[in-house]
Amino acid sequence: MDVFALFSARIGNAMQVLFPQAGADLLARIVVEPPRDPAHGDLSTNAAMVVAKPLGMNPREVANTLVEHFRHDADVTSVEVAGPGFINFRLAAPIWHQVLRSIAELGDDYGRSTLGQGEAVNIEYVSANPTGPMHVGHTRGAVFGDTLASLMAYSGYEVTREYYINDTGGQTITLGRSALLRYREALGETIEIPSGFYPGDYLIPVGQALAAEHGRSLLDMPEHEAALIAREKALAAMMDLIRADLAQLNIHHDVFFSERTLHGAGGDIELTLAWLREMGMIYEGRLEAPKGKTPDEWEDREQTLFRATDYGDDVDRPLIKSDGSYTYFAADIAYHRNKFLRGFKHMINVLGADHSGYVKRLQAATKAVSLNAADMDVRICQLVRLLKNGEPFKMSKRSGDLVTLADVVEEVGADATRFMLLYRRNDAAMDFDFAVVKEQTKDNPVFYVQYAHARTHSIFKTAARDLPALDVSRSALAAADIERIATPAELDLVRVLAAWPRTVAAAAVAHEPHRIAFYVHELAAAFHGFWAKGKDDPQLRFVNFDDPMLTLARLALVDAVRQVILNALAILGVSAPEELS
RNA sequence: GGUCUCGUAGCUCAGCAGGAUAGAGCACCGGAUUCCUAAUCCGGGGGUCGUGGGUUCGAAUCCCGCCGAGAUCACCA
């Protein structure tokens, strides 16, 4: 149950009855939300202010009419007009008790919704080039995309997690040639790796595998042929490497889409270009050189262009290179048409900061190939600056100067990595300080939240120790006399729990998983705060020797907190240990 | 030069599809431990929300100009 949704509906209905002259579009602007200042009550609505002016009425007059309507509502203890025309509600205890029952009943599903109405969403993230292990730069987008996918799935969307493999083009040839050098090395030659090649150690096993499989036979064929064989081996090995890296953060994709399958005669690129041509979205023309910074090798030539400007892009985009092959973007248009034809009307791409210039053309492509039937949201993850005690930090174990994802996970663990990366908005650059992340104090939000969860379990242990006769099974908790939850401090905690469904829905709509991280931190704080009240006032302790029934009711509250923390951490992909060592 | 993102307390950041006196953590100051894990809690000081306009009953939030920081700019993927 979502109290805000409940009252939003009730207030909407009341307004419709009381002010039939107000249109549906006007009523849609009414918001029911928790006031920023808790002193103003539990719920607040702007209904009167929204409606007043268009109806030529005084806001307070409208408000008073609505207040009269709710004055005798049993679920409302007080309702009053405030400020310029806000209406503040204070809800009766039974409403909060219903929230607790609802959490117990729904369990893992408390917060789950049908917001997405089962619509298919394709979320593409990571899509790192298969030329080496994952580095930190990829990690933020990987965690963000994975969590967004979980969030959307939890909110009723049919989510497909997709990875686009760039397994064609010049860099893959370079990869093949680099692997070939390692092959020679495996055969006993002393090699030197020229600049422009991939120098990382991670290609050594690929060279060894090639030697084991082919003996010396690759040496007898032309380099470019041997490189193609080496390329296949290397690509497969790199994808295995990347999958293993992602698995360390519990990130998995449903679909690995190979760019290569788009190419070739009768392939998607060819079909898409033919279709675009038919639709008049392609023409032959010239582009102006970019102003300010003219590339050295700029060549003014007539080329095949996609009318991206018709769909909001800044310039039209080339589709065919001077050597006759397709541009990367041509493949990307075909790829997004492929997504659309697979039934996705909602697409989300998670990209790194270096792709910010790519957003408009991607959206243009999506609009064009779907004839405006699909939407594309591009979430840019800004840079992560690695620090150690405030100093810029570099580690390198596996690949040149880069800090790898595996390095980070090894250093701070998967939970901390995920949580810290999610405890920021995606579109702001962030610092990631290893020293802080490794700390096990309240300065570290991961441990703060996990500790709150562990504490809920610890309370149950205490209860079992101190009141061994008390039945605290699931069914006993469900039958607890929940009305005993009545002090203001307890109800404040329930209020935080009540905000969970609303928080999830808002985060899903906005595509902002960080809100989940902030919420669960807030819930942990509310819980720790209530726990500490038991120090000053033993009556507020969860476990009360003299009153087993009150204890049981309080344990039901603790269980609800446990459940909601668990639900939030599940979306974030962070584990919820029952005790911290 | 174009485009995109960001600019909120000394520091790191929230601010929920414009709302009522702008919040949290760190740091700083002062408290709480015979008692459910002090891995925690309570209190205090500290901000012209970069800046100037505009829209609105109402702007940190939306629009425009300017200043500053970062990213990016055909034929790489």
Side-chain angles (χ1 to χ4, degrees), chain A residues 112-123 148-161 254 344-348 375 504-511:
Chain A
R112 192 184 287 280
S113 71
T114 55
L115 189 73
Q117 300 182 305
E119 288 182 36
V121 183
N122 184 291
I123 305 183
L148 178 59
S150 300
L151 173 61
M152 302 283 285
Y154 197 68
S155 302
Y157 290 90
E158 186 65 41
V159 175
T160 296
R161 300 157 188 252
D254 303 312
F344 295 108
K345 285 186 185 152
H346 305 295
M347 305 180 201
I348 302 174
D375 52 75
V504 182
V509 169
H511 300 166

Side-chain angles (χ1 to χ4, degrees), chain A residues 208-325:
Chain A
Q208 288 167 345
L210 284 167
E213 190 175 328
H214 297 277
R216 306 188 67 84
S217 66
L218 297 187
L219 296 176
D220 301 330
M221 57 177 76
E223 204 253 358
H224 67 272
E225 267 179 50
L228 288 180
I229 292 171
R231 174 172 80 157
E232 294 317 296
K233 201 78 182 171
L235 282 174
M238 293 307 100
M239 283 311 297
D240 285 344
L241 203 58
I242 287 168
R243 270 188 276 256
D245 280 346
L246 290 172
Q248 289 195 51
L249 286 172
N250 288 312
I251 295 170
H252 304 277
H253 290 79
D254 303 312
V255 174
F256 286 86
F257 193 99
S258 158
E259 181 193 349
R260 198 182 287 176
T261 61
L262 298 168
H263 287 77
D268 277 17
I269 301 180
E270 206 177 274
L271 294 175
T272 298
L273 260 54
W275 182 82
L276 289 173
R277 210 163 250 128
E278 204 176 304
M279 301 304 292
M281 297 174 186
I282 286 182
Y283 68 103
E284 303 294 321
R286 289 171 187 276
L287 284 180
E288 283 179 30
K291 283 174 187 158
K293 185 182 142 192
T294 308
D296 298 339
E297 297 171 19
W298 176 264
E299 177 197 348
D300 188 19
R301 68 181 178 90
E302 181 159 286
Q303 47 190 344
T304 305
L305 299 169
F306 165 61
R307 294 187 188 278
T309 49
D310 285 0
Y311 297 91
D313 202 356
D314 303 314
V315 291
D316 291 334
R317 302 287 174 180
L319 298 174
I320 296 176
K321 300 186 220 168
S322 49
D323 69 0
S325 63

Side-chain angles (χ1 to χ4, degrees), chain A residues 40 46 51 77 82 94 155 190 215 299 307 324-325 424 457 462:
Chain A
H40 291 137
N46 60 356
V51 165
T77 52
S155 302
T190 305
E299 177 197 348
R307 294 187 188 278
S325 63
R424 288 293 109 101
H457 284 271
T462 305

Side-chain angles (χ1 to χ4, degrees), chain A residues 484-503:
Chain A
R484 297 291 299 277
I485 301 295
T487 65
E490 288 168 294
L491 294 178
D492 280 347
L493 190 50
V494 180
R495 285 183 177 89
V496 179
L497 296 171
W500 171 240
R502 185 177 182 278
T503 303

